[in-house]
């Protein structure tokens, strides 16, 4: 009985440790988003405390409201003093001693501009009556124009306001009473103009030397869907799909034809695309190692010590690579070899320290150290190739906006609406990378002439 109780206690202790480790997960030691962190617990951070004082960083351009020339002033208002501030005498007709200029910048009263399109019909000598063709924006007897549509869609999918709030804002600010369904219809019509843009961006990302990939859960039509991101410094592509793995990646159409360096996390389906060179996100690895330091085994050769050694080696390699690449140089070979040896040793010793795999937590730690040893070259690709980043933030920034959409709205009501959202986000993110404002970009799309990438550039 005592032996059985000891075994049961040991099993319960291991289970408690696993549950405690799960409760301690946060954005600094797992892939959980920062928004999920408890407001009462500050996660530990590996970032060194900066010396910069609060306020605008040194060297960054400031923005100051300044007066404009008289020719640019809309109207002038002049104020006269009525009596002397000293003796109280009236100042009518007194000589002017000076004049101080103050300018107030404000919005004019906003009102809709209504353009009437008259479609003339002519009767031919043969008896046939032919009516002029209406422009695209005049699709009905009364319709909102492309700029109004661009603003509504931009507030909804670009600034993440709720659909009903967008409709209310359009009515209050611009005198354009609008139903939430009208906003959705505008988004549908605008997204229908972006099919050629999507195909062009897909081709350019597939032809890039380095591209970033990521995926995240996304609720649509009361189901769990997945948003997949593929992007470069100049292009962004998002799609929504019911699957997380290779079926969705194939449907996206980038990875099957990609032969450059694909940067992503350690999600196994990415590795099935063997035409690409793979670079694993070192920031993800740091978070996993931090979790080991919080729930691993002690001792000089325990998993905690090995995780700490691996963290130190990774940060040393990051500093070494960034310092060299900033100056256009290759990292010091001796230093890179030394820190790389520290990382590999930590992985091998950590694998041995967790070899028993007596609990779910220890199995997870063992799998992590084994992966580091097996994929060391992919984790350290950022050291040798200046075009490869230490992290996968380029792709994570893309899908972070999708999480914000679900935080505001809970979910998209239909899969079609989710697909339209991803396509419009792809357009907005890409045009932003090319220095184009979102209102101008969406206005062009609403007019049926969306921005398109230059054919000569990747």
């Amino acid at each position: 009985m005592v032996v059985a109780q000891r075994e049961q206690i040991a099993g319960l202790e291991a289970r408690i440790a696993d549950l405690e480790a799960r409760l301690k997960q946060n954005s600094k030691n797992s892939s959980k988003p920062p928004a999920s962190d408890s407001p009462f617990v500050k996660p530990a951070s590996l970032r060194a405390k900066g010396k910069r004082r609060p306020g605008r960083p040194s060297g960054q351009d400031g923005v100051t409201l300044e007066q404009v020339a008289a020719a640019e002033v809309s109207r002038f208002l002049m104020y006269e003093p009525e009596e002397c501030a000293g003796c109280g005498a009236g100042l009518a007709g007194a000589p002017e001693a000076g004049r101080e200029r103050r300018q107030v910048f404000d919005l004019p009263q906003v009102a809709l501009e209504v353009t009437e399109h008259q479609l003339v019909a002519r009767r031919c000598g043969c008896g046939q009556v032919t009516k002029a063709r209406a422009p695209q924006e005049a699709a009905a007897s009364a319709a909102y124009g492309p700029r109004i549509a661009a603003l509504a869609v931009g507030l909804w999918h670009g600034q993440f306001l709720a659909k009903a709030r967008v409709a209310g804002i359009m009515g209050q600010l611009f005198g354009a009473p609008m139903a939430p369904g009208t906003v959705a219809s505008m988004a549908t019509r605008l997204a229908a103009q972006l099919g050629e843009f999507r195909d062009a961006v897909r081709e350019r990302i597939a032809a890039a030397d380095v591209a970033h990939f990521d995926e995240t859960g996304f609720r649509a039509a009361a189901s769990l869907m997945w948003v997949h991101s593929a992007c470069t410094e100049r292009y962004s592509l998002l799609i929504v799909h019911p699957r997380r793995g290779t079926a969705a990646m194939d449907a996206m159409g980038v990875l099957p034809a990609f032969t450059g360096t694909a940067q992503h996390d350690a999600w196994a389906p990415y590795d099935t695309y063997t035409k690409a060179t793979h670079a694993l996100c070192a920031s993800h690895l740091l978070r996993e190692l931090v979790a080991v330091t919080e729930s691993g085994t002690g001792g000089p050769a325990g998993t905690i010590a090995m995780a700490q050694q691996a963290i130190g080696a990774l940060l040393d390699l990051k500093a070494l690579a960034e310092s060299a690449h900033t100056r256009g140089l290759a990292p010091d070979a001796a230093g890179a070899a030394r820190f790389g040896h520290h990382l590999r040793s930590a992985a091998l010793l950590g694998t041995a320290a967790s070899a028993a795999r007596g609990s779910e937590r220890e199995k997870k730690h063992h799998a992590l150290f084994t992966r580091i040893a097996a994929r060391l070259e992919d984790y350290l690709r950022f050291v040798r190739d200046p075009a490869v980043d230490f992290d996968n933030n380029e792709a994570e920034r893309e899908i972070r906006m999708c999480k914000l959409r679900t935080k505001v709205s809970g979910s998209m009501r239909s899969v079609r609406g989710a697909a339209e959202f991803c396509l419009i986000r792809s357009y907005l993110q890409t045009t932003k990378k090319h220095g184009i404002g979102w209102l101008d970009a969406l206005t062009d799309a609403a007019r049926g002439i969306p921005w398109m990438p230059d054919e000569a550039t990747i």
Side-chain angles (χ1 to χ4, degrees):
M1 183 183 297
V2 171
V3 172
Q5 288 177 341
R6 285 177 179 173
E7 292 177 352
Q8 185 178 18
I9 290 171
L12 291 173
E13 287 178 342
R15 185 178 180 186
I16 290 172
D18 290 339
L19 293 173
E20 287 179 342
R22 190 179 303 176
L23 286 173
K24 291 178 181 178
Q25 286 185 344
N26 53 59
S27 61
K28 300 297 183 181
N29 60 17
S30 71
S31 295
K32 297 181 67 175
S36 66
D37 291 341
S38 169
F40 305 106
V41 179
K42 182 179 180 180
S45 176
L46 296 175
R47 182 176 295 178
K49 186 176 181 180
K51 298 180 180 179
R52 186 175 69 83
R53 297 173 62 85
R56 178 168 57 88
S58 177
Q60 186 181 82
D61 294 335
V63 179
T64 303
L65 184 65
E66 297 179 350
Q67 290 189 345
V68 299
E72 300 180 52
V73 176
S74 302
R75 61 174 179 163
F76 295 88
L77 298 176
M78 189 168 61
Y79 303 89
E80 293 276 2
E82 295 181 357
E83 58 184 30
C84 176
C87 66
L91 295 177
E96 183 175 328
R99 184 173 298 199
E100 179 182 348
R101 298 170 63 237
R102 298 189 180 188
Q103 295 180 349
V104 176
F105 296 74
D106 203 352
L107 290 173
Q109 182 68 37
V110 180
L112 289 181
E113 179 184 77
V114 180
T115 301
E116 181 173 300
H117 299 264
Q118 299 182 353
L119 309 180
V120 178
R122 301 287 184 182
R123 186 185 301 275
C124 179
C126 69
Q128 176 70 39
V129 176
T130 304
K131 185 174 67 175
R133 182 178 300 176
Q136 181 172 328
E137 61 263 28
S141 59
Y144 288 116
R147 202 162 184 83
I148 281 286
L151 181 58
V153 174
L155 290 176
W156 187 28
H157 286 333
Q159 306 304 317
F160 303 103
L161 296 183
K163 187 166 51 179
R165 292 179 64 187
V166 172
I169 287 173
M170 302 303 289
Q172 288 285 331
L173 293 183
F174 307 107
M178 192 176 291
T182 303
V183 179
S185 298
M186 289 175 170
T188 298
R189 289 193 295 271
L190 194 149
Q193 304 295 326
L194 300 179
E196 187 177 349
F197 161 83
R198 177 191 56 218
D199 296 339
V201 167
R202 179 188 291 121
E203 292 175 1
R204 279 155 179 75
I205 297 176
D209 293 331
V210 178
H212 300 257
F213 301 88
D214 204 0
E215 77 292 327
T216 188
F218 190 79
R219 296 204 66 83
S223 301
L224 176 62
M225 308 288 287
W226 294 91
V227 168
H228 288 255
S229 163
C231 63
T232 66
E233 291 183 351
R234 296 175 60 81
Y235 302 103
S236 300
L237 181 62
L238 298 169
I239 70 161
V240 64
H241 197 274
R243 302 293 295 275
R244 184 185 180 188
T246 55
M249 298 172 187
D250 290 343
M252 193 174 209
V254 176
L255 276 170
F258 188 72
T259 58
T261 299
Q263 188 153 18
H264 50 80
D265 56 24
W267 176 236
Y270 288 115
D271 298 324
T272 61
Y273 297 93
T274 55
K275 293 181 182 178
T277 300
H278 295 273
L280 296 180
C281 174
S283 283
H284 274 79
L285 178 57
L286 280 178
R287 292 196 288 267
E288 291 180 285
L289 289 168
V290 168
V292 177
T293 65
E294 297 174 350
S295 60
T297 57
T303 54
I304 292 178
M306 293 305 100
Q308 291 171 339
Q309 178 176 318
I311 289 171
L314 263 179
L315 294 178
D316 288 337
L317 285 164
K318 179 176 184 288
L320 183 71
E322 287 181 349
S323 176
H325 293 161
T326 301
R327 294 173 290 152
L329 303 174
D332 175 63
R338 183 172 67 257
F339 297 139
H341 176 70
H342 292 169
L343 180 57
R344 181 175 178 81
S345 298
L348 294 175
L349 292 173
T351 301
S354 57
R357 286 171 280 184
S359 64
E360 291 299 321
R361 174 172 44 91
E362 202 169 50
K363 290 178 184 177
K364 188 175 181 179
H365 295 172
H366 183 78
L368 170 62
F369 285 115
T370 302
R371 188 204 321 142
I372 296 173
R375 305 291 300 275
L376 190 61
E377 183 176 352
D378 292 339
Y379 274 118
L380 299 187
R381 204 169 296 281
F382 73 92
V383 178
R384 295 179 297 277
D385 188 350
V388 176
D389 294 333
F390 176 83
D391 51 48
N392 196 33
N393 286 351
E394 188 76 36
E396 292 182 4
R397 280 191 291 266
E398 308 290 340
I399 63 173
R400 190 174 299 139
M401 297 299 98
C402 301
K403 306 301 288 187
L404 182 57
R405 173 79 281 168
T406 57
K407 286 189 67 176
V408 172
S409 302
S411 69
M412 302 296 291
R413 295 191 64 181
S414 68
V415 176
R416 188 194 70 180
E420 292 169 357
F421 167 76
C422 288
L423 182 53
I424 292 171
R425 287 301 310 171
S426 302
Y427 182 67
L428 288 173
Q429 289 298 101
T430 299
T431 51
K432 179 181 178 181
K433 291 178 178 180
H434 285 78
I436 302 171
W438 63 266
L439 185 57
D440 290 336
L442 290 175
T443 301
D444 288 342
R447 286 175 175 153
I449 47 172
W451 176 88
M452 292 292 294
D454 185 356
E455 294 183 0
T457 60
I458 294 179

